[in-house]
Amino acid sequence: MNQAEIFIQQKLAQRKLDDNFRVLKTASGLIDFCSNDYLGFARSEKLKALVQEELRRFPDYLNGSGGSRLLSGNITFVEELEQQIANFHEAEAGLIFNSGYDANLGLFASLPQRGDTIITDELIHACIIDGARLSLANRFSFRHNDLNDLEKKLKNAKGICYVVVESVYSMDGDEAPLQEIINLTSQYNANLIVDEAHATGVFGQGLVQQLQLENQVFARTVTFGKALGSHGAIVLGSKNFRDYLINFARSFIYTTAPSFYQLVTIKMAYQLLQNITTEQNHLHKLITLFKNEMQKKYHYALIESNSAIQSILVPGNSNAKKLAEHLQKNGFDVRAILSPTVLAGMERLRICIHAFNTEAEITELTATINH
Ligand SMILES: Cc1ncc(COP(=O)(O)O)c(C=O)c1O
């Protein structure tokens, strides 16, 4: 057998041995407690109708963009949309990327230079790590949400310093202490970059705005694939920073621009987001109900979180998988998050609560978890 095939077989065999072999599954038809569709926009008939209506205003639209933004793929619609989204988030400017992964990859690979420093929370998303790895800057991480550890790292930072956090962490669902972090970044003259992927739509327009900190962060990444129910992302910052990304962010420069259909979906999702207080209130009511129900029984430890992401620790890949299978058999689409995606010993069920879930679904789910 060819050496590459042998290598592949060995790596896959190891995965199976570690009980963390990844397989693609199609949507199950079970009650959704695993997607990031927190507000139900991905399945919203209202959003579909808004998109169709908007598309009819542009009968000549192209199915595909035909090229990168710097060549044939740029249109007035996308530039206007970027400014509208920037205004919505109270930022000076914004640049749309094809995904949150692309946005963070482009940002962190292009901005920090050799001799600069990137300091990230230890639980930061893989795309930020990957972007930072592509840069030539020094990289450090600090213990999750630990301000003392962050300060230690800030004291040793060289060059221009960037501190990167998620306002809501994707696997634990807890929040970064943004105000306290900003106190430190301003004391040490560092630039704070916040990924709002799991906060936008769940906590108003995002946690940065909810805390009125928009003028104190250097940049934000907002993704459209979670509460906005679409796909893509925007990096928000100054007009100069937008120009910088257009010139240096390779994941923006060397890729085909999003299709018109995608842009319209994003635009209409933002329109829908202006009027969803009822859904947001219902979502937070369900989150509280879930936490209360889980606290009544102490079979499992719940990671403290007020967001739509509620993680139940079930240490060990096979234990986590077994509990997920038990829930699936009982009609709930809950997935296990295994190591190495999370640290060994921190395997879990990552339960996502949505505005379209019902109180009865929550109580049945918690009763089945704690059967
Ligand atoms: C915190 C965070 N940032 C970025 C991303 C990537 O976004 P996208 O799914 O749009 O590529 C994700 C999603 O997986 C995420 O959780």
Side-chain angles (χ1 to χ4, degrees):
M1 201 187 299
N2 148 321
Q3 274 184 321
E5 280 298 338
I6 294 170
F7 166 77
I8 290 167
Q9 269 193 3
Q10 282 170 347
K11 290 296 277 187
L12 293 179
Q14 188 59 48
R15 272 273 144 108
K16 285 178 184 160
L17 213 63
D18 295 340
D19 213 2
N20 58 13
F21 183 70
R22 292 172 167 130
V23 283
L24 294 172
K25 287 188 188 150
T26 48
S28 56
L30 305 177
I31 301 169
D32 181 1
F33 278 109
C34 89
S35 80
N36 297 320
D37 187 20
Y38 305 125
L39 295 172
F41 279 22
R43 65 199 64 203
S44 163
E45 292 300 328
K46 206 163 160 185
L47 180 55
K48 268 190 214 167
L50 284 173
V51 170
Q52 292 311 321
E53 204 179 297
E54 181 74 358
L55 285 175
R56 275 196 291 277
R57 292 182 52 225
F58 300 89
D60 297 330
Y61 80 83
L62 300 179
N63 295 318
S65 67
S68 70
R69 288 280 298 277
L70 283 160
L71 297 175
S72 60
N74 199 41
I75 49 175
T76 314
F77 189 91
V78 66
E79 297 213 42
E80 285 175 356
L81 179 60
E82 286 173 330
Q83 196 53 53
Q84 285 160 17
I85 298 174
N87 294 346
F88 178 85
H89 289 294
E90 296 164 280
E92 191 177 284
L95 188 69
I96 289 181
F97 286 73
N98 283 338
S99 70
Y101 189 96
D102 282 358
N104 283 332
L105 199 75
L107 193 173
F108 293 102
S110 68
L111 181 61
Q113 303 295 299
R114 189 191 296 278
D116 291 341
T117 303
I118 308 172
I119 305 175
T120 55
D121 187 287
E122 66 182 344
L123 296 189
I124 207 78
H125 194 266
C127 59
I128 296 169
I129 297 173
D130 292 356
R133 275 185 184 153
L134 286 173
S135 84
L136 297 171
N138 306 307
R139 293 184 285 120
F140 301 98
S141 69
F142 62 99
R143 280 196 298 275
H144 181 52
N145 278 349
D146 184 332
L147 297 166
N148 291 329
D149 200 30
L150 170 59
E151 185 162 19
K152 262 191 226 155
K153 305 288 155 51
L154 280 164
K155 280 185 178 151
N156 292 321
K158 307 243 172 8
I160 303 174
C161 178
Y162 301 93
V163 172
V164 195
V165 298
E166 290 172 37
S167 47
V168 169
Y169 281 89
S170 63
M171 287 299 148
D172 285 26
D174 57 345
E175 294 152 42
L178 287 179
Q179 182 61 67
E180 289 82 352
I181 291 174
I182 284 173
N183 295 345
L184 281 175
T185 50
S186 48
Q187 189 185 334
Y188 288 89
N189 201 21
N191 302 283
L192 180 62
I193 300 178
V194 182
D195 183 323
E196 292 256 55
H198 299 278
T200 302
V202 174
F203 295 108
Q205 291 142 292
L207 259 192
V208 169
Q209 280 165 279
Q210 201 166 66
L211 299 170
Q212 298 180 325
L213 299 171
E214 56 276 1
N215 294 326
Q216 296 176 66
V217 297
F218 176 81
R220 279 171 278 169
T221 302
V222 173
T223 64
F224 309 139
K226 323 281 185 211
L228 280 147
S230 176
H231 188 235
I234 192 164
V235 174
L236 302 165
S238 69
K239 282 200 161 73
N240 271 342
F241 184 43
R242 181 176 184 272
D243 284 345
Y244 182 89
L245 292 170
I246 292 171
N247 278 275
F248 296 105
R250 293 166 67 88
S251 62
F252 173 84
I253 300 167
Y254 299 108
T255 191
T256 301
S259 71
F260 187 71
Y261 185 89
Q262 186 184 345
L263 295 172
V264 167
T265 311
I266 295 162
K267 180 178 170 180
M268 294 301 116
Y270 266 95
Q271 194 162 305
L272 208 57
L273 199 56
Q274 318 246 355
N275 197 11
I276 39 118
T277 322
T278 314
E279 287 86 343
Q280 277 172 334
N281 289 344
H282 181 60
L283 173 61
H284 285 283
K285 206 169 139 198
L286 293 182
I287 294 167
T288 308
L289 175 65
F290 177 85
K291 290 172 60 169
N292 289 344
E293 290 296 308
M294 284 300 294
Q295 269 153 18
K296 279 189 199 157
K297 307 168 180 122
Y298 291 96
H299 286 170
Y300 298 101
L302 197 62
I303 296 178
E304 179 55 35
S305 145
N306 293 318
S307 77
I309 302 163
Q310 297 290 324
S311 283
I312 301 172
L313 289 176
V314 189
N317 281 344
S318 49
N319 295 335
K321 275 168 76 170
K322 229 183 274 163
L323 185 55
E325 279 160 19
H326 168 66
L327 292 169
Q328 287 157 15
K329 273 192 202 121
N330 283 277
F332 303 102
D333 194 356
V334 171
R335 310 282 173 97
I337 307 289
L338 309 175
S339 65
T341 299
V342 289
L343 280 178
M346 296 294 280
E347 295 84 357
R348 70 207 44 201
L349 299 190
R350 177 181 182 265
I351 294 177
C352 292
I353 297 173
H354 312 95
F356 55 80
N357 289 132
T358 64
E359 290 184 21
E361 286 171 358
I362 299 280
T363 45
E364 279 164 33
L365 171 70
T366 51
T368 315
I369 292 169
N370 293 300
H371 70 286

